[in-house]
Amino acid sequence: MLRGLPPVHRFLSDPLLAPYEAAVGKSELKRGVIEALDGVRLAGGAGVPSYEHLRAQVVARVERDASRALARVVNATGIVLHTNLGRAPLASAALDAMRPLASGYTNLEFDLDAGERGSRYARATGLLRAVTSADDALVVNNCAAAVLLLLDTFAKEREVVVARNQLIEIGGGFRLPDVLARSGATLVEIGAVNKVYLHDFERALTPRTALVLRAHASNFRIAGFTHDVAPRDLAALGRRAGVPVVEDLGSGALIGLERFGLPHERTVQDALADGIDLVAFSGDKLLGGPQAGIIVGSAALISRMRANPLLRALRIDKIALALLSETLRLYDAGRYRDIPLYAMLGATLDELRSRADRYVRANAKLRAVDATAYVGGGALPQGEVASVALEIRSDAGAGAIASALRRWTTPIVARVERDRVLLDMRTIDPHEDEIVQSALHAIP
Ligand SMILES: *Cc1c(COP(=O)(O)O)cnc(C)c1O
């Protein structure tokens, strides 16, 4: 039994702990106190630590727990679509439009003209048709759900033909052969890992074939001694054979990336123009919107997917749907530069350099260096963009600096490259420059 342990209320009425109570709430703070006191009791031993020592432990516990809460962070990695940092940041215009919708009731599933039940998908569908020129569209929770719905609707207990060079895993355990197996479809693998020909597909088609599935190689490249089938030829084969050809495009670019000096990334419109019957893609990769899975293409096929009871379980939530519609409206209005992803990719080197120079003039520890930023997000492995970064010169060591930045009030995630800490200007929002500047001043 330990006597002399300070009572809980002493901590709770300590003015030095008041800011923590204000930040995390009384019950969080109390939990920190009880945990710290329990720690002393469990350790047994003779002496009771001083009150000040215990208070420091309480602070450490509260800060540790607070750092696990979801928080805004500054992305200084130079990776524009960083899955660990939440993929695409959303456009202000979309967020502004969403707020009044989310804080009140909406005509989500209500037709105001007719005064009766309406479709929750109608607005997003209309915009998707306008932006992509597809016949019809359907929106679900994410692209993985879109692929699942597609396979469940068309391929259960039937065959799906996939080329061996496209049997992808996209991470997070989403591996195409496994997804096919789970959906009750039989995978028919054709061709070789490096070479696939149209006649490989032709020979694989049987009366049991439900679909030909193309998966976009969004996170790897096969190079060297290779041969592949042009999607256009594959779509034509499907039409001749009466078998739908569908594509898991993933990245979902709606505009050409060449305008940002990037290699051409297959767009949704490219896939439709090739004659692909259904195209599935994500809302939060190169579209720059919220998490969502989108399927566009043949109206007849989409109406079958709409009738699948599984759709209800894969349904997109109303806030994501509103954000998606508002993001699509920006494309429809030609305002893609208002989408943060494209504002970042579109920033010129001169703009980045002049921002970096402002940092350097104010802080002798900094140097502006040429750098490479990446599109990332499993979206575009070869998507490199020239950039400008701040290099921190300090004796503190790269690991220690990066860790101190991660612990800043607004955590800053930097890149550590060959023992150098780099802060890439391309992914730091200019509105965040002040935060970053004060953090960099605090570094020894
Ligand atoms: C990213 C990706 C997916 C999964 O998309 P989510 O929206 O994260 O579910 C599926 N297929 C491909 C080809 C992808 O690149």
Side-chain angles (χ1 to χ4, degrees):
M1 186 59 214
L2 279 169
R3 286 195 300 169
L5 216 51
V8 173
H9 66 77
R10 182 169 172 198
F11 293 93
L12 297 184
S13 56
D14 186 334
L16 285 179
L17 290 178
Y20 293 95
E21 182 179 331
V24 301
K26 189 165 196 144
S27 62
E28 246 345 73
L29 178 62
K30 190 169 172 185
R31 182 158 57 224
V33 173
I34 290 170
E35 277 179 21
L37 296 177
D38 283 350
V40 178
R41 287 195 192 95
L42 280 173
V48 170
S50 70
Y51 173 76
E52 287 69 28
H53 181 86
L54 285 166
R55 186 174 57 196
Q57 284 194 6
V58 171
V59 167
R61 277 170 201 278
V62 169
E63 282 182 342
R64 179 203 63 195
D65 291 348
S67 75
R68 288 181 190 156
L70 195 57
R72 164 103 190 206
V73 307
V74 174
N75 175 9
T77 63
I79 298 166
V80 180
L81 284 174
H82 199 306
T83 298
N84 302 149
L85 301 184
R87 287 196 187 154
L90 296 161
S92 309
L95 288 165
D96 292 346
M98 180 273 288
R99 200 185 149 77
L101 300 177
S103 61
Y105 297 103
T106 61
N107 56 342
L108 177 72
E109 292 189 4
F110 188 70
D111 183 333
L112 291 171
D113 288 333
E116 54 193 38
R117 190 169 199 274
S119 157
R120 74 158 47 209
Y121 301 105
R123 284 166 219 95
T125 303
L127 282 160
L128 282 163
R129 286 171 47 196
V131 172
T132 66
S133 309
D135 288 339
D136 204 355
L138 184 59
V139 184
V140 290
N141 187 46
N142 59 11
C143 185
V147 174
L148 195 65
L149 182 65
L150 220 153
L151 295 173
D152 187 82
T153 307
F154 300 108
K156 230 183 207 156
E157 276 137 47
R158 298 184 65 200
E159 292 177 357
V160 177
V161 179
V162 189
R164 285 202 170 81
N165 62 0
Q166 294 180 349
L167 283 172
I168 55 167
E169 171 175 320
I170 53 151
F174 191 85
R175 185 180 269 191
L176 209 48
D178 298 344
V179 175
L180 275 158
R182 284 304 296 255
S183 67
T186 305
L187 167 64
V188 179
E189 291 178 46
I190 55 142
V193 172
N194 57 331
K195 292 209 173 210
V196 181
Y197 299 91
L198 193 64
H199 59 76
D200 293 323
F201 283 99
E202 239 162 346
R203 274 188 224 134
L205 299 180
T206 75
R208 290 179 308 281
T209 309
L211 299 171
V212 171
L213 174 62
R214 240 185 84 79
H216 186 51
S218 57
N219 57 3
F220 72 102
R221 288 283 179 273
I222 295 175
F225 187 55
T226 63
H227 189 274
D228 210 348
V229 177
R232 180 178 294 267
D233 297 339
L234 196 57
L237 171 67
R239 256 193 315 280
R240 286 200 299 279
V243 174
V245 177
V246 302
E247 180 162 339
D248 176 14
L249 183 66
S251 50
L254 295 176
I255 53 172
L257 296 189
E258 313 77 73
R259 68 188 84 191
F260 302 106
L262 284 156
H264 180 73
E265 167 71 3
R266 184 167 170 76
T267 63
V268 174
Q269 294 90 328
D270 287 342
L272 291 169
D274 281 338
I276 302 290
D277 295 292
L278 291 173
V279 187
F281 54 100
S282 288
D284 55 354
K285 290 182 177 172
L286 291 172
L287 191 150
Q291 178 187 307
I294 300 158
I295 305 144
V296 295
S298 146
L301 295 176
I302 284 182
S303 75
R304 283 180 61 192
M305 293 176 77
R306 220 175 253 133
N308 186 334
L310 191 59
L311 177 63
R312 180 63 179 75
L314 306 176
R315 185 159 97 170
I316 183 172
D317 116 274
K318 65 174 182 184
I319 294 177
L321 194 60
L323 289 168
L324 178 66
S325 298
E326 294 306 321
T327 308
L328 290 167
R329 221 181 284 288
L330 294 174
Y331 284 98
D332 200 34
R335 287 171 54 195
Y336 64 87
R337 290 258 180 186
D338 290 347
I339 295 167
L341 166 69
Y342 292 111
M344 289 182 219
L345 288 175
T348 65
L349 281 176
D350 282 344
E351 285 164 358
L352 298 180
R353 230 173 254 128
S354 78
R355 276 174 58 209
D357 286 344
R358 235 172 293 143
Y359 278 79
V360 172
R361 276 198 299 277
N363 188 334
K365 292 189 299 283
L366 303 177
R367 193 161 72 105
V369 296
D370 291 340
T372 305
Y374 301 88
V375 176
L380 199 56
Q382 291 172 346
E384 297 186 359
V385 223
S387 190
V388 177
L390 296 168
E391 184 187 341
I392 305 170
R393 289 181 291 186
S394 162
D395 299 329
I401 294 173
S403 144
L405 290 171
R406 286 199 307 275
R407 280 163 223 260
W408 192 248
T409 341
T410 304
I412 300 166
V413 185
R415 189 155 85 220
V416 177
E417 212 176 79
R418 278 177 275 114
D419 225 38
R420 297 188 309 163
V421 180
L422 297 177
L423 299 166
D424 198 308
M425 298 309 300
R426 196 171 281 286
T427 49
I428 301 173
D429 187 307
H431 293 108
E432 296 169 331
D433 280 345
E434 231 170 281
I435 298 170
V436 178
Q437 260 168 350
S438 50
L440 293 175
H441 273 294
I443 285 186

